[in-house]
Amino acid sequence: MDSQTGTSSRDKILDVATKIAQAHGYGGLNLRTLAEEVGIKAASLYHHFPSKADLAAAVAKRYWEDAAAGLEVLSSRTQDPADRLRRFPGTFRKSLENDNRICLCSFMTAEFDDLPDPVKKEVETFTDVNVAWLSKTLVAAGIVSTKDAKKRAHAIFAAVAGAQLMARGRSDIKLFDALIKNYQAAGLLPL
Amino acid sequence: MDSQTGTSSRDKILDVATKIAQAHGYGGLNLRTLAEEVGIKAASLYHHFPSKADLAAAVAKRYWEDAAAGLEVLSSRTQDPADRLRRFPGTFRKSLENDNRICLCSFMTAEFDDLPDPVKKEVETFTDVNVAWLSKTLVAAGIVSTKDAKKRAHAIFAAVAGAQLMARGRSDIKLFDALIKNYQAAGLLPL
DNA sequence: ACCTGAACACCGTTCAAGT
DNA sequence: ACCTGAACACCGTTCAAGT
């Protein structure tokens, strides 16, 4: 850790790799390009991570950890649980705002067959974190029973991920907003 | 066209390429592997398609044409429009049944940045075809006004695509069914 | 410890030659 | 017409060797 900038080489690699993978996926994560953007040679990446698989697993792990932290901040800052649910899609909206990227884990879920096992594990945890947060928030908002919470949570998560994917295909963030509004109007999310 | 089997070399290439692209995407569609599965050498593919971009565009074009034809069959065989809507997710379920693959165009939408323009165009048409069919069916079922039909259609399409992606990540077709049921319970699709 | 040149395996593609 | 071996320029990945 560099005490001046607060960013180690390892962190810089993870930052750049995350952005590339959100736009091009695991297969499209090109180590030469990644290294160039970091300012080193491709071979030097192997001093920080033993393989592309380990690098991608570290990227996906940090990705769900950041997501979990973000959701906890949302919970602590927003009193009304229904209001938290209304703000949930905003976390997915940010990726689209950031150069029309999508959720790292949505992309990697499409690529699931080609993912090394350690990467698969972290990608699955991202879903688990989101579903768990949605479940407890749905219950707190009194929208569903504890029994039905997990399935409804998964449905919301899948629908929001799908909306993000559609909006990317059209490079149209307004489409994302329109789809979320429609989910609300249909009753999937609180109005 | 081979009058005996009804399948030309070109069609066989398209068949195999479609399956590979549904599992690995455009980037993961490897011409040497494709050729091997077809039973020819990679160089021979260029006698049927001028480039990988043209091949992928032909794959995506045939994909939406088949989808459009399938939806028309569904319309003609199912009298009740609400019933047609209930059966719509079944067209996405089939991909999962077929070796846990996903919609070709969902995968390619994730890869949008890396797609040649002619492929992008066909991928967009797939969405258009589905949204148009859902729109007219929603109106016929009296669920939404003509004015609101397109946006609701897009919301259903996005949610079903998202459900398919989630089910792939868990290799769990029951998860797909559970998500669709939840969309119905929430009011996004007719019960 | 951190880095790199150079090799390796593989990619889309081309082409001369074969049937 | 359709096919192929061989080659091309390229790229992701790895490793032996440098500092």
Side-chain angles (χ1 to χ4, degrees):
Chain A
M1 182 72 80
D2 181 329
S3 59
Q4 283 295 105
T5 64
T7 306
S8 66
S9 283
R10 186 189 150 92
D11 285 340
K12 184 162 186 194
I13 292 166
L14 291 177
D15 287 345
V16 178
T18 302
K19 286 200 168 185
I20 294 174
Q22 280 185 263
H24 307 286
Y26 177 79
L29 173 61
N30 147 359
L31 298 198
R32 267 191 170 110
T33 306
L34 168 61
E36 195 174 5
E37 287 188 35
V38 172
I40 56 176
K41 297 292 169 186
S44 305
L45 292 170
Y46 288 80
H47 263 274
H48 301 278
F49 301 94
S51 69
K52 180 177 177 179
D54 289 277
L55 165 60
V59 166
K61 184 178 195 300
R62 204 187 58 158
Y63 195 78
W64 71 252
E65 286 172 348
D66 288 350
L71 290 171
E72 285 318 302
V73 169
L74 175 54
S75 287
S76 65
R77 287 198 190 153
T78 307
Q79 290 297 323
D80 180 18
D83 229 39
R84 284 179 220 149
L85 292 171
R86 279 178 210 109
R87 290 173 200 265
F88 175 78
T91 65
F92 281 75
R93 194 183 196 277
K94 278 178 199 151
S95 307
L96 294 167
E97 289 167 14
N98 192 357
D99 288 331
N100 199 34
R101 290 180 225 275
I102 57 169
C103 171
L104 176 79
C105 296
S106 294
F107 208 140
M108 288 188 170
T109 299
E111 293 177 297
F112 220 67
D113 281 4
D114 301 320
L115 252 33
D117 283 339
V119 184
K120 281 182 178 161
K121 188 194 131 206
E122 305 301 340
V123 169
E124 283 170 350
T125 303
F126 179 82
T127 300
D128 293 340
V129 162
N130 278 273
V131 169
W133 184 90
L134 282 165
S135 288
K136 75 177 178 190
T137 310
L138 283 163
V139 171
I143 290 172
V144 292
S145 66
T146 306
K147 181 181 147 288
D148 296 333
K150 200 171 175 184
K151 282 190 174 172
R152 170 63 74 90
H154 222 131
I156 291 172
F157 180 71
V160 173
Q164 191 193 40
L165 193 64
M166 292 303 118
R168 166 165 168 76
R170 296 295 155 111
S171 303
D172 183 4
I173 201 161
K174 281 185 198 161
L175 175 58
F176 180 77
D177 296 335
L179 292 171
I180 299 302
K181 271 193 186 148
N182 226 284
Y183 293 155
Q184 292 174 329
L188 190 64
L189 280 165
L191 279 167
Chain B
M1 185 70 80
D2 181 329
S3 60
Q4 283 296 106
T5 63
T7 304
S8 65
S9 282
R10 184 189 152 92
D11 285 340
K12 184 160 187 195
I13 292 166
L14 291 177
D15 286 346
V16 178
T18 301
K19 287 200 169 187
I20 294 174
Q22 280 184 263
H24 306 286
Y26 176 78
L29 174 60
N30 169 330
L31 299 196
R32 281 182 168 87
T33 305
L34 168 60
E36 193 174 6
E37 286 189 36
V38 171
I40 57 177
K41 297 294 169 186
S44 306
L45 292 170
Y46 288 80
H47 275 273
H48 301 278
F49 301 94
S51 70
K52 181 177 175 177
D54 289 277
L55 164 61
V59 166
K61 184 179 195 298
R62 205 187 58 158
Y63 195 79
W64 71 251
E65 286 170 348
D66 288 351
L71 290 172
E72 284 319 302
V73 168
L74 176 54
S75 286
S76 65
R77 286 196 190 156
T78 307
Q79 291 296 323
D80 179 19
D83 230 39
R84 282 178 221 150
L85 292 171
R86 279 179 210 108
R87 289 172 201 266
F88 175 78
T91 66
F92 281 75
R93 194 182 196 279
K94 278 178 200 152
S95 306
L96 293 168
E97 290 167 14
N98 191 357
D99 288 330
N100 200 34
R101 290 179 224 274
I102 57 169
C103 172
L104 176 80
C105 295
S106 294
F107 208 141
M108 289 187 170
T109 298
E111 292 177 297
F112 220 67
D113 282 5
D114 302 320
L115 252 32
D117 282 340
V119 183
K120 282 183 177 160
K121 187 193 132 207
E122 305 301 340
V123 169
E124 284 170 349
T125 303
F126 179 82
T127 300
D128 293 341
V129 161
N130 279 272
V131 170
W133 184 90
L134 282 165
S135 288
K136 76 177 178 191
T137 310
L138 283 163
V139 171
I143 289 172
V144 292
S145 66
T146 307
K147 179 181 148 290
D148 296 332
K150 201 171 175 185
K151 282 191 175 171
R152 170 62 75 91
H154 221 131
I156 293 171
F157 180 70
V160 173
Q164 190 193 40
L165 193 64
M166 292 302 117
R168 167 165 168 73
R170 296 295 157 110
S171 303
D172 182 4
I173 201 160
K174 282 184 197 161
L175 175 57
F176 179 77
D177 296 336
L179 292 171
I180 299 301
K181 270 191 187 148
N182 227 283
Y183 293 155
Q184 292 173 330
L188 191 64
L189 279 166
L191 278 167

